[in-house]
Structure formats: C-alpha cells, structure tokens
Amino acid sequence: MVKKIFFLILLFYFLTLLQTSFFLHFPFRHLLNLVLIIVVLINLFEARKEKLGLFSAFFGGFFLDIFSENFIGFWILILLAISIFIKLILKKHVRIPVISRV
Amino acid sequence: MKLSYRLKIGLIIILIASFFLVLNLTPFGKEIKNFFYLISSPIQKIFWKTGNKISDFFEVIFRIKDLKRENEELKLKIQTLEAENVTISELKKENEILREALEIGLEKEFGLQLAQVIGKDVSQDLILINKGLKDGILEGFPVISQQKLLIGKISEVYKDFSKVLLISNPKSSFDAKIADSDIFGVVKGKGNLKILFDFIPQEKEIKEGDLVVTSVLGGIFPQGLLVGKINEVTKSDLKPFQKAQIQPVFNIGNLEKLFIITEW
C-alpha cells in the first residue's frame, strides 16, 4: 500500500508538471485535465474495498493546488468529492461481477 | 459503533478543514508552494521547452493551409499598401510643390490650378494635363511651373483634360522683353523645344545670358514670367531686326506638376 501511494504521489507530481508546463503549448490545454482523468479512472476501476482512489484524489488535488493559483484545498475537495461520488454510485447502483471479483 | 463511526468522520472533516485553514491562512502554504516550485523548476523548464518545440512543429503542419491563405492575404495587403504608398508620395510631392509655390507667392499674384502632366509629345511640343473644362480651364490660359517659368498656354480643352501648347511650338508667338530693360521683341516657337527671340531693334544691345520675360504688351501672358535665357544672338546689318536663340529654362523631361493661371 505504501509503495502504491508513493507511486501515486510521483505519478500525480509528473502529471501536474506535464499539465502545467508541457500541454500548455497545445490548443487543447483548456480541455485537458490529466489528473482529473486519472483520478476518475482509478476510482472507476479499483476494487470496491480499496482506498487508493481517495488517496489519488487527495494527492492529485494537492499537486493541482500547488501548481495553480487557487487556494490549497480547492482541487483536493473537488477531486475527493468526485471520487466519493463515484464510489457511492458504484456501491449502490452498479453490479458488475468481473469488477467485484477483482 | 454507529456513533464512533460518525465521530470518526467528523474528526476527519475537522482535521482536513484545519489542515486547509493552516495551509491557506499562514505563511506555511506559501513555503510549501515555494518548495515545490524550487524542486520542480528544472523539470518544468525541460517540459516547457519540449512542449514549445513540439507544438511549434505541429502548428506549422496544421496551419499550412492557413499560412497559405494568410500569405496570399498579406501579399494582397502589400499590394494595396504599395498603391497607397504611391498615392501618398504623389500627394507629398504635390504638397511640396504647393508649398514652394506659396513661398514664391504665386497664389497672391494669380489664380492658380494645379495640374499633373499625363502625356508628353515632345516632337509636337505639346503636353497633356489632367485638368479640363470641369475644372474651369479655358483655352488660352497660361501654364507655368512652380518656379514661375513660362511653359505654354492651353490650346485645346476637353472635359477632363487639356492640351498645353509649349512656347517652343511653332504656333506659339507672344511679346516679351529682356528683363530689367526696355528691349522688346517677339518670342516664337521653332519646334523641337527651340525658341527664337525675334524683332529686336538693331540698335539695342543684347548679350548671351540675358533673361527673357513676358511683357504686358501682348496680353496673352501675365508680365514678368521667365521665358528663358538668351543663348546666341544673330545680328545682320541688312535686316532691320536682330534675332536671338532662347534656351528654355524648363526641362521637359522633368515636368510633372504645372500651374494653370486662371486669373491675372
């Protein structure tokens, strides 16, 4: 778990750097939020009992806040809300045997 | 159990809220941001440069069509601007001429109309100008340069254009005199830009370099307009009058803008 979290921190750090310095030069810069996409994907595809989605939301949001002009917590709250929302929806309304087995 | 779970959640929320408050309301938040900027700046620089290069490359590829269109538009714009430039330089030249004329005081002596030479027929000693009946030009109006040099007179008027008979045209003949003297004579055109000063009384002494100006006698031209310089004097005891070649002071090749005297 610690390894996974460490990997997540590194991943979101580089994703945020890419987003704020590399993709800024492209015309789709306003549409692309890599951190958000990865957080949503992790939350969608992780096992239900796993908490990695929440950690990813926290660290992704933290790095986005660091490299943006918003107050610290802006993106953390948004991403945490999104990941909790996804988890709730998956828990209450979605039944996929393949995913539940994972 | 249920209560402890709620308590847990409440504690977590309080912890997170206080964490954000501490970060945002104290200088600690700035310190954290500064730390991350410091360690990230070398990587960010590399990302920034690479992104810039790659986006430039793709921009060129994606914008080839646009660039072509833009290029054509710019070329068209250049042409328009060049045309405008020509018009502006023409206006500038015209302005300079008018300014020069104002300094000489031509406008105080005469009613003037500025005209542009649009055609020259040197072999016939004629020029075509861009002012005509529409501008109030009539046959016989004298034509001068901005330096007050006599060029000729209007011989034919059209609606928008007029023909100017140069003083060197064989059909041209008028009274003139040597400047600052009472030596009168008749200036006749000889064709091919040559002018003759004829009917000068034998007893009068004229020499090369004397300036010939229009006199009030003929009434064709206002007096005092410079016709040319005496070039060569022909004197014969057998004839009652002496003749002299006049060198015109204007250069027909340089004539571009002229003044038509409408009142004098």
Side-chain angles (χ1 to χ4, degrees), chain B residues 73-135:
Chain B
E73 276 174 13
L74 286 174
K75 272 183 188 166
L76 209 73
K77 207 171 182 181
I78 286 174
Q79 281 174 357
T80 321
L81 286 174
E82 271 175 353
E84 244 172 60
N85 213 359
V86 169
T87 318
I88 289 168
S89 58
E90 283 287 312
L91 285 172
K92 196 180 162 193
K93 213 181 268 177
E94 196 174 307
N95 193 8
E96 273 168 18
I97 290 166
L98 285 169
R99 206 180 286 263
E100 207 172 314
L102 275 172
E103 276 167 15
I104 295 172
L106 278 176
E107 95 293 351
K108 285 177 195 158
E109 290 179 58
F110 316 114
L112 297 173
Q113 275 266 12
L114 182 72
Q116 186 166 5
V117 176
I118 50 170
K120 292 172 190 171
D121 188 349
V122 183
S123 61
Q124 288 187 33
D125 295 88
L126 273 172
I127 51 178
L128 192 66
I129 54 171
N130 69 340
K131 290 280 160 85
L133 267 179
K134 225 167 71 177
D135 308 287

Side-chain angles (χ1 to χ4, degrees), chain B residues 99-229:
Chain B
R99 206 180 286 263
E100 207 172 314
L102 275 172
E103 276 167 15
I104 295 172
L106 278 176
E107 95 293 351
K108 285 177 195 158
E109 290 179 58
F110 316 114
L112 297 173
Q113 275 266 12
L114 182 72
Q116 186 166 5
V117 176
I118 50 170
K120 292 172 190 171
D121 188 349
V122 183
S123 61
Q124 288 187 33
D125 295 88
L126 273 172
I127 51 178
L128 192 66
I129 54 171
N130 69 340
K131 290 280 160 85
L133 267 179
K134 225 167 71 177
D135 308 287
I137 306 300
L138 297 172
E139 265 180 44
F141 277 177
V143 178
I144 59 170
S145 72
Q146 70 259 37
Q147 292 90 8
K148 223 174 155 181
L149 310 176
L150 183 64
I151 306 292
K153 65 175 180 182
I154 304 287
S155 62
E156 232 172 302
V157 190
Y158 306 97
K159 196 179 159 198
D160 297 294
F161 304 97
S162 305
K163 269 186 186 167
V164 178
L165 195 76
L166 296 181
I167 49 174
S168 54
N169 190 294
K171 288 180 194 165
S172 165
S173 136
F174 57 92
D175 287 293
K177 65 170 198 161
I178 302 288
D180 302 324
S181 73
D182 57 347
I183 307 169
F184 288 89
V186 175
V187 173
K188 283 179 174 175
K190 298 293 283 178
N192 234 344
L193 301 174
K194 285 180 186 149
I195 314 167
L196 189 71
F197 193 30
D198 206 354
F199 300 113
I200 312 159
Q202 279 287 3
E203 68 278 9
K204 302 286 182 187
E205 193 65 39
I206 52 168
K207 56 185 185 300
E208 279 180 30
D210 279 352
L211 294 175
V212 181
V213 293
T214 52
S215 80
V216 75
L217 281 176
I220 302 168
F221 296 118
Q223 63 172 333
L225 298 174
L226 188 60
V227 177
K229 254 190 240 174

Side-chain angles (χ1 to χ4, degrees), chain A residues 13-14 17-18 20-27 58 62-63 65-74 76-77 80, chain B residues 16 19-20 23-24 29-30 32-33 36-37 39-41 43-52 54-55 58-59:
Chain A
Y13 176 62
F14 279 103
L17 284 184
L18 271 177
T20 53
S21 49
F22 182 80
F23 289 114
L24 266 188
H25 299 281
F26 297 92
F58 181 82
F62 176 73
F63 285 119
D65 286 336
I66 291 288
F67 290 98
S68 70
E69 290 304 307
N70 301 310
F71 61 89
I72 298 173
F74 178 82
I76 295 175
L77 290 176
L80 274 175
Chain B
I16 289 174
F19 172 70
F20 290 150
L23 280 184
N24 286 301
K30 277 186 181 173
I32 289 181
K33 279 196 174 185
F36 276 104
Y37 293 156
I39 57 165
S40 315
S41 65
I43 310 166
Q44 268 184 313
K45 266 182 204 166
I46 296 167
F47 280 163
W48 186 273
K49 275 183 192 169
T50 319
N52 204 4
I54 295 173
S55 72
F58 282 110
E59 207 179 325

